[in-house]
Amino acid sequence: MVKFLQTLRVKKGFTLVELIVVIAIIGVLAAILIPTLGAQIMKAKVTSADSTAKELLKTVNAWIGENLAASGNDKVACDLKISMNSGTCTLTETANTTNRSGAASNPADAWNARPGCISLKERIEAEFSARTFTGSVFINSSGYVVFAWCVVDKADFSGAVPNGADYEAGFYSGWKSEKKQGVNSQGIPVGTYPKLAYSAT
């Protein structure tokens, strides 16, 4: 017992070398874990944006199926940009071949529903509630959405996104790399549906 107490008196704490070793180990672990954690956070953001793009495609297709005729003047073929900001939806037609508005700057009134139903703007606001995102759906000449892209948590995004040719090919060269599919050249997560793989060409 006496020897044990004497040993405790001699051992007063960590030496400087031991402290430096511990700090070095923590530094190495942090250097390994922080990039991995950042990559996982970005992957989660891409997955969330992919999910929103899929929901957006289904919502617009459902509304079209319920409200627009399959032929005649109700046929459309355009890119419809959709911006949601805290419950308020803004619709803008771009790159259209034929559209419902006749004026790409303000198509919201042209996307009204048949009597007794809500407009597309109201349908999107109801489906996505207080979420904030910007996205686009491509409506082909048959009158149905064939692909969508979406950026979550950004109501005014204007960076690089895939187009119709990319969806036809099933690849997109605008992703940062094969390991960063869904992250565009500006480093922003962009959701797509159907999902586009990376292509260097």
Side-chain angles (χ1 to χ4, degrees):
M1 185 66 178
V2 174
K3 287 184 178 180
F4 177 70
L5 291 173
Q6 288 174 341
T7 304
L8 289 178
R9 285 197 197 97
V10 173
K11 193 169 182 65
K12 294 179 179 178
F14 293 109
T15 65
L16 182 59
V17 173
E18 290 172 331
L19 187 60
I20 290 172
V21 169
V22 170
I23 291 172
I25 291 171
I26 292 172
V28 169
L29 291 175
I32 294 170
L33 293 176
I34 288 174
T36 304
L37 183 61
Q40 291 303 315
I41 290 171
M42 182 61 78
K43 189 175 181 181
K45 288 182 178 179
V46 171
T47 300
S48 176
D50 285 343
S51 177
T52 302
K54 183 177 181 180
E55 290 177 54
L56 198 57
L57 183 147
K58 288 185 174 181
T59 297
V60 177
N61 267 342
W63 186 90
I64 288 173
E66 293 165 8
N67 292 282
L68 301 187
S71 61
N73 293 331
D74 281 336
K75 266 195 174 181
V76 290
C78 67
D79 280 315
L80 186 62
K81 188 174 180 181
I82 300 165
S83 176
M84 271 293 294
N85 191 2
S86 300
T88 301
C89 175
T90 303
L91 304 177
T92 309
E93 288 175 355
T94 59
N96 46 286
T97 51
T98 60
N99 63 16
R100 293 184 58 76
S101 66
S105 61
N106 186 23
D109 292 339
W111 289 87
N112 287 329
R114 56 189 172 82
C117 295
I118 63 175
S119 68
L120 176 58
K121 178 180 183 295
E122 293 169 322
R123 177 68 171 268
I124 293 170
E125 287 175 346
E127 291 281 336
F128 294 95
S129 186
R131 292 162 71 178
T132 296
F133 64 83
T134 187
S136 180
V137 293
F138 177 74
I139 304 170
N140 67 7
S141 57
S142 66
Y144 283 92
V145 177
V146 292
F147 70 77
W149 64 263
C150 185
V151 179
V152 295
D153 301 326
K154 287 185 179 291
D156 56 354
F157 174 77
S158 59
V161 291
N163 59 31
D166 298 314
Y167 280 90
E168 287 178 2
F171 297 96
Y172 183 49
S173 60
W175 299 142
K176 276 216 160 186
S177 68
E178 188 171 358
K179 290 184 178 180
K180 292 186 177 180
Q181 292 177 165
V183 181
N184 74 0
S185 56
Q186 290 99 334
I188 296 171
V190 178
T192 55
Y193 189 81
K195 185 68 178 171
L196 291 179
Y198 171 75
S199 172
T201 56

